[in-house]
Amino acid sequence: MSDIGKSITQFIIEQQRIHPDSTGDLSGLLNDIVSACKKISHLVNRSGIIGLGGASDSENVQGEVQKKLDIITNDVMVEHLNWTGHLAAMASEEIEEIIQIPDQFPKGKYLIAFDPLDGSSNIDVNLSVGTIFSILRCPETEVDGVTEPTIDDFMQKGTEQVCAGFCVYGPSTMLVLTMGNGVYGFSLDRDVGEFILTHPRMTIPEDTAEFAINMSNQRFWEPPVQRYISECIKGVDGSREKNFNMRWVASMVAEVYRVLTRGGIFMYPLDIKSTTEGGKLRLMYEANPMSFIVEQAGGVSSTGRQRIMDIQPENVHQRVPVILGSKNEVARVVSYHETN
Ligand code: AHM
Ligand code: MG
């Protein structure tokens, strides 16, 4: 039976029916996220016309200058998610503290961590950007009691994620979702205002001849990554005996989407510039949700030394090295770390 052409609303409800004891809360939360992503897609698409391009005059917790759209898309996520009764608290790349549900609204049983606009350095050059999210269960004591969730409640390994997804605002707006039962891609049909299932059961080929890494950081990489990339670049004349292609969009959402559709390896490894921070990409709302999706599609996601989803988080904005994609290529990079 082909599921292609089904709306995301139907897909979510059918997934809910697989679990007879489901309360419908996760379905409700996903519908809230879908609404927020549709709004963000519209804003990104019209940002030049409505004066939302360029930088704001503020910095986020990472010390990065925020784009106007970073701030506005964060507000869109919060305003779509804080009143519906599905969440106990939120964490965002753009906000230092966790975000509590206002007292006038009911609290739900889930936590969400999100990057409202990943790759925002690409907005002004009209390249793909996206929204990434990770859903966790709030520890039950917090749901039953009247207390507010704390940062400790978010400190769950990636293996505890209930659902993860991302939306990429590119030539089409695509939403990619996993609930631990495969990876599904939906395309936004703007005429009817609905995401339509176009890519059921996305799988990542085990082998690849395409790598994505910011080559301008080459002199800062560790030896295992230096070795892997230099072997790729030598192509048919080197030990790999095949030519490799390179891509770098500087939007993780676009890179992971490419890996999901035609395979490849994406790396933002540890380098000597980022040793103190632990890496560039953020564990809770970038690395973990993308790792859940990649593993569900048959790929592998590692720091080079450890499976990303096995990392015990210590901080909502913690950074980690990321090496993900086609199984055999990631395994090779991991093996170079072991023998180094
Ligand atoms: P952001 O969340 O502030 O946009 O940063 C994350 C982005 C990733 O999407 C991308 O892989 C990386 O930063 C690009 O980094 P660089 O500018 O070093 O190429
Ligand atoms: Mg980001």
Side-chain angles (χ1 to χ4, degrees):
M1 183 193 75
S2 171
D3 288 335
I4 291 177
K6 171 178 291 189
S7 75
I8 198 166
T9 314
Q10 184 180 352
F11 175 84
I12 290 169
I13 288 171
E14 285 176 1
Q15 290 290 309
Q16 180 190 322
R17 287 183 185 148
I18 295 172
H19 308 282
D21 51 350
S22 163
T23 58
D25 281 336
L26 182 61
S27 301
L29 174 56
L30 285 171
N31 284 325
D32 303 340
I33 295 167
V34 164
S35 298
C37 289
K38 286 196 269 194
K39 174 83 187 225
I40 294 172
S41 175
H42 177 74
L43 289 171
V44 167
N45 187 256
R46 290 180 54 81
S47 59
I49 299 164
I50 55 183
L52 294 182
S56 71
D57 50 11
S58 57
E59 287 187 354
N60 67 11
V61 58
Q62 339 273 342
E64 298 157 344
V65 174
Q66 290 172 302
K67 300 279 184 181
K68 288 181 197 158
L69 270 176
D70 281 325
I71 299 169
I72 288 163
T73 55
N74 179 72
D75 292 347
V76 169
M77 288 295 281
V78 171
E79 285 161 15
H80 277 75
L81 301 177
N82 73 359
W83 60 274
T84 54
H86 302 126
L87 286 172
M90 299 176 251
S92 165
E93 174 176 339
E94 302 304 329
I95 306 288
E96 181 160 9
E97 306 293 336
I98 61 171
I99 305 163
Q100 299 293 347
I101 301 302
D103 288 341
Q104 70 264 37
F105 301 131
K107 284 196 178 78
K109 59 185 176 190
Y110 293 107
L111 302 172
I112 189 168
F114 58 80
D115 178 353
L117 201 63
D118 182 59
S120 54
S121 69
N122 277 327
I123 295 164
D124 296 330
V125 292
N126 197 24
L127 287 179
S128 297
V129 290
T131 301
I132 313 174
F133 60 91
S134 163
I135 299 173
L136 298 162
R137 277 188 196 84
C138 189
E140 279 179 28
T141 48
E142 299 293 349
V143 175
D144 296 341
V146 287
T147 53
E148 293 185 335
T150 65
I151 289 175
D152 287 347
D153 296 316
F154 281 85
M155 298 297 98
Q156 304 180 41
K157 293 180 182 177
T159 48
E160 300 300 311
Q161 291 172 103
V162 175
C163 173
F166 68 91
C167 195
V168 54
Y169 313 109
S172 2
T173 290
M174 296 282 315
L175 196 143
V176 175
L177 196 63
T178 187
M179 292 185 243
N181 182 23
V183 178
Y184 295 83
F186 302 82
S187 305
L188 180 60
D189 182 337
R190 290 186 188 276
D191 290 342
V192 292
E194 179 70 291
F195 281 98
I196 304 297
L197 182 60
T198 46
H199 296 65
R201 294 244 157 233
M202 300 179 88
T203 50
I204 301 173
E206 290 187 0
D207 291 294
T208 178
E210 193 163 73
F211 65 89
I213 193 164
N214 184 339
M215 286 295 295
S216 69
N217 291 326
Q218 180 170 17
R219 68 190 188 282
F220 305 117
W221 300 334
E222 296 186 307
V225 174
Q226 296 278 6
R227 176 180 168 191
Y228 176 78
I229 295 297
S230 79
E231 287 174 359
C232 291
I233 290 171
K234 286 191 182 112
V236 287
D237 301 325
S239 58
R240 300 299 306 271
E241 297 177 341
K242 66 174 183 178
N243 289 327
F244 281 76
N245 192 13
M246 194 202 95
R247 288 287 183 273
W248 187 249
V249 187
S251 270
M252 191 187 198
V253 286
E255 321 275 10
V256 172
Y257 189 78
R258 187 185 60 251
V259 166
L260 283 166
T261 47
R262 68 181 189 207
I265 183 167
F266 165 84
M267 292 192 267
Y268 216 116
L270 195 62
D271 63 39
I272 54 172
K273 279 192 304 163
S274 62
T275 316
T276 329
E277 293 87 13
K280 157 96 180 182
L281 298 173
R282 279 54 59 110
L283 176 63
M284 301 294 295
Y285 40 80
E286 292 175 331
N288 266 344
M290 292 308 203
S291 299
F292 191 17
I293 290 165
V294 164
E295 287 197 11
Q296 282 291 316
V300 177
S301 183
S302 170
T303 64
R305 297 182 169 87
Q306 184 182 14
R307 181 188 180 205
I308 285 178
M309 290 206 293
D310 282 339
I311 297 172
Q312 175 58 53
E314 291 169 358
N315 169 343
V316 169
H317 300 289
Q318 177 173 345
R319 296 175 188 256
V320 289
V322 174
I323 299 167
L324 61 77
S326 292
K327 191 174 168 182
N328 293 338
E329 291 302 310
V330 179
R332 179 181 284 269
V333 181
V334 169
S335 76
Y336 290 180
H337 282 79
E338 284 162 359
T339 55
N340 183 53

